[in-house]
Amino acid sequence: MTAAAGISDDTGATDAATEWFGVAPLSSLIENYNAMPNNVFKLRARVAGAEHEEMQMKTDGYMTAWMLYQLQGDEEAAKALTGENAKILRNANWQDIEKNR
């Protein structure tokens, strides 16, 4: 799962009863990630400095790699996302990364 780290996705609000949290705040990503079983490959990350409307363009490379790996078993594409040397882990454009493979 991906989201932007900008204010449109995460306002930094702390009280849902009185404030809007944003489209996809980090707290919701963590909650959804933790709710997924560990027997499936899961990954969450936010695009540093991006706003929600920028997500389609800024995530395209990793989304393509995910689909190639998941749908076609492309092991070269998997290197972008899996393992302790996954490319996404070294990409300064991404933050708050958690993954289980």
Side-chain angles (χ1 to χ4, degrees):
M1 65 188 79
T2 62
I7 196 88
S8 58
D9 270 10
D10 195 339
T11 65
T14 57
D15 182 5
T18 61
E19 303 172 283
W20 185 60
F21 279 15
V23 176
L26 179 58
S27 60
S28 73
L29 296 179
I30 292 170
E31 183 178 333
N32 291 333
Y33 180 93
N34 290 340
M36 295 172 64
N38 285 325
N39 65 336
V40 298
F41 177 31
K42 56 185 181 176
L43 184 148
R44 71 165 168 82
R46 298 194 308 162
V47 180
E51 293 299 337
H52 188 73
E53 66 271 7
E54 300 173 283
M55 290 302 292
Q56 186 173 1
M57 294 300 294
K58 293 194 177 226
T59 63
D60 184 51
Y62 287 109
M63 293 292 125
T64 299
W66 176 268
M67 296 297 178
L68 286 170
Y69 174 51
Q70 293 296 305
L71 300 175
Q72 297 183 355
D74 186 325
E75 293 300 321
E76 190 63 32
K79 293 177 185 177
L81 306 163
T82 62
E84 61 185 48
N85 294 316
K87 292 178 183 177
I88 196 169
L89 297 174
R90 298 185 312 273
N91 188 330
N93 295 314
W94 289 82
Q95 66 184 57
D96 305 313
I97 301 165
E98 185 172 356
K99 60 190 199 66
N100 67 342
R101 291 190 189 161

